[in-house]
C-alpha cells in the first residue's frame, strides 16, 4: 500500500463552521505533513509531524489546528475560517523527517476546501 | 521572495521528442532537489531527485541535471509520451521543502 488517503475530497463550509480534514497512510512512515495550495501557486508547507510530535508550524493561524492521534493518522481541524482560506489542502508522508526534509514525500489527492 | 523559480508556465512538445523543464534557485543552502509530477485532481507524485553532491541522476526516460554554480537544474524527458502531460514541480530542500510554481507540460501525439 503506497497510498496517502485524504477525506473528504471536497468540502464547503461557512465561516462559523467547525470541520476536520483527515489523512491516513499505512506505509509505516513516521513523518506527516500538511500543505496548502492555492490555484496556480506551489504547495506551501503548514505543519510537519515527526513521530507524532509537531516539529514544524509555519506560523499558521490558530484557526487551523493539526492533530496526529497515531503514526498513521493526521487530522486538520478547521474553525472560523475565512474565504481566503479556500484552497487545496494536501497531506503528505515520508519515511522520516530529519530536519533536512529531503525525504521523498508521498502526497494524497487533497481536499478542495471552499469557505463561503 | 521566490527561492525556487520555474520561469516557463507551460511547455508543449511533440511525442517522441525531448522535453526539457528548467528550474532556478537562489538559496545556496539547498542541498537536495526533487521533481514532482501532478495530474489534475491528484496530489503530486515524486519523480526523481538529486543530491547537491551530484550533477546528474538518471532514471529510465528521466534525467535531472544540476549546475550548482549557476543554481540551475533541469529535467529531461526522452522520449516524451502523451502520458507525461502534467504539471511538473521543481522542489528544493534545506530545512524544509520549497516548491516552484510548476510548468505545465503538454505532449502532443
Amino acid at each position: 500500500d503506497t497510498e496517502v488517503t485524504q477525506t473528504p475530497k471536497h468540502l464547503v463550509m461557512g465561516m462559523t463552521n467547525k470541520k476536520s480534514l483527515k489523512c491516513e497512510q499505512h506505509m509505516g512512515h513516521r513523518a506527516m505533513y500538511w500543505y496548502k495550495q492555492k490555484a496556480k501557486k506551489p504547495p506551501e508547507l503548514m505543519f510537519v509531524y515527526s513521530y507524532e510530535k509537531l516539529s514544524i508550524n509555519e506560523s499558521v493561524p490558530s484557526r487551523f489546528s493539526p492533530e496526529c492521534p497515531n503514526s498513521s493518522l493526521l487530522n486538520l481541524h478547521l474553525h472560523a475560517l475565512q474565504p481566503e482560506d479556500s484552497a487545496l489542502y494536501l497531506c503528505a508522508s515520508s519515511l522520516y523527517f530529519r530536519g533536512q526534509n529531503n525525504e521523498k514525500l508521498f502526497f494524497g489527492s487533497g481536499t478542495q476546501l471552499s469557505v463561503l | 521572495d521566490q527561492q525556487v523559480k520555474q520561469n516557463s508556465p507551460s511547455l508543449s512538445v511533440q511525442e517522441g521528442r525531448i522535453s526539457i523543464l528548467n528550474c532556478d534557485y537562489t538559496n545556496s543552502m539547498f542541498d537536495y532537489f526533487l521533481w514532482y509530477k501532478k495530474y489534475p485532481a491528484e496530489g503530486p507524485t515524486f519523480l526523481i531527485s538529486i543530491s547537491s553532491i551530484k550533477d546528474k541522476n538518471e532514471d529510465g526516460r528521466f534525467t535531472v541535471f544540476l549546475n550548482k554554480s549557476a543554481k540551475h537544474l533541469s529535467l529531461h524527458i526522452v522520449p516524451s509520451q502523451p502520458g507525461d502531460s502534467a504539471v511538473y514541480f521543481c522542489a528544493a530542500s534545506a530545512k524544509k521543502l520549497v516548491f516552484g510554481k510548476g510548468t505545465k507540460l503538454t505532449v502532443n501525439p
Side-chain angles (χ1 to χ4, degrees):
Chain A
D1 183 2
T2 57
E3 276 195 358
V4 175
T5 305
Q6 287 188 246
T7 56
K9 290 196 183 305
H10 302 274
L11 179 62
V12 180
M13 61 187 289
M15 289 190 283
T16 58
N17 291 158
K18 281 186 183 181
K19 297 285 184 183
S20 296
L21 309 184
K22 295 185 183 302
C23 175
E24 192 168 358
Q25 57 86 15
H26 296 287
M27 294 179 277
H29 288 176
R30 303 316 300 264
M32 295 187 78
Y33 310 74
W34 281 115
Y35 279 84
K36 172 181 176 179
Q37 186 177 20
K38 303 222 30 145
K40 300 193 184 206
K41 298 280 188 182
E44 292 180 355
L45 182 65
M46 300 175 73
F47 303 103
V48 181
Y49 273 83
S50 177
Y51 288 89
E52 297 139 61
K53 291 195 184 329
L54 186 62
S55 290
I56 290 184
N57 176 343
E58 287 288 303
S59 303
V60 179
S62 59
R63 56 186 184 268
F64 295 91
S65 175
E67 179 198 18
C68 190
N70 60 56
S71 60
S72 299
L73 294 174
L74 184 67
N75 299 321
L76 186 62
H77 303 298
L78 314 172
H79 173 54
L81 294 194
Q82 304 297 311
E84 59 264 29
D85 296 321
S86 298
L88 179 67
Y89 288 84
L90 291 162
C91 173
S93 70
S94 65
L95 193 54
Y96 300 113
F97 175 66
R98 298 176 181 160
Q100 296 268 333
N101 206 10
N102 58 8
E103 293 290 337
K104 181 170 75 174
L105 299 184
F106 289 77
F107 282 89
S109 298
T111 294
Q112 188 65 53
L113 174 68
S114 297
V115 182
L116 304 179
Chain B
D1 176 34
Q2 262 191 281
Q3 297 185 65
V4 178
K5 299 178 187 178
Q6 293 178 257
N7 292 319
S8 298
S10 62
L11 174 68
S12 185
V13 300
Q14 209 60 31
E15 181 179 5
R17 308 293 282 267
I18 186 170
S19 295
I20 300 176
L21 297 105
N22 293 304
C23 178
D24 297 293
Y25 62 95
T26 58
N27 188 345
S28 56
M29 298 299 292
F30 288 142
D31 59 1
Y32 201 73
F33 303 88
L34 307 93
W35 284 94
Y36 284 83
K37 178 166 79 171
K38 186 179 187 301
Y39 293 117
E42 294 184 13
T45 55
F46 170 79
L47 195 55
I48 192 168
S49 62
I50 188 167
S51 164
S52 60
I53 61 173
K54 295 187 174 183
D55 55 19
K56 178 182 173 181
N57 188 25
E58 194 170 352
D59 183 2
R61 296 186 297 115
F62 302 91
T63 303
V64 56
F65 295 93
L66 175 62
N67 182 334
K68 280 201 305 183
S69 61
K71 293 191 174 69
H72 177 83
L73 68 155
S74 60
L75 174 69
H76 292 212
I77 306 173
V78 56
S80 302
Q81 298 173 354
D84 296 329
S85 298
V87 176
Y88 289 78
F89 289 98
C90 170
S93 175
K95 288 188 177 178
K96 65 175 184 178
L97 205 56
V98 179
F99 285 85
K101 286 189 176 181
T103 296
K104 182 177 180 180
L105 173 66
T106 303
V107 180
N108 301 303

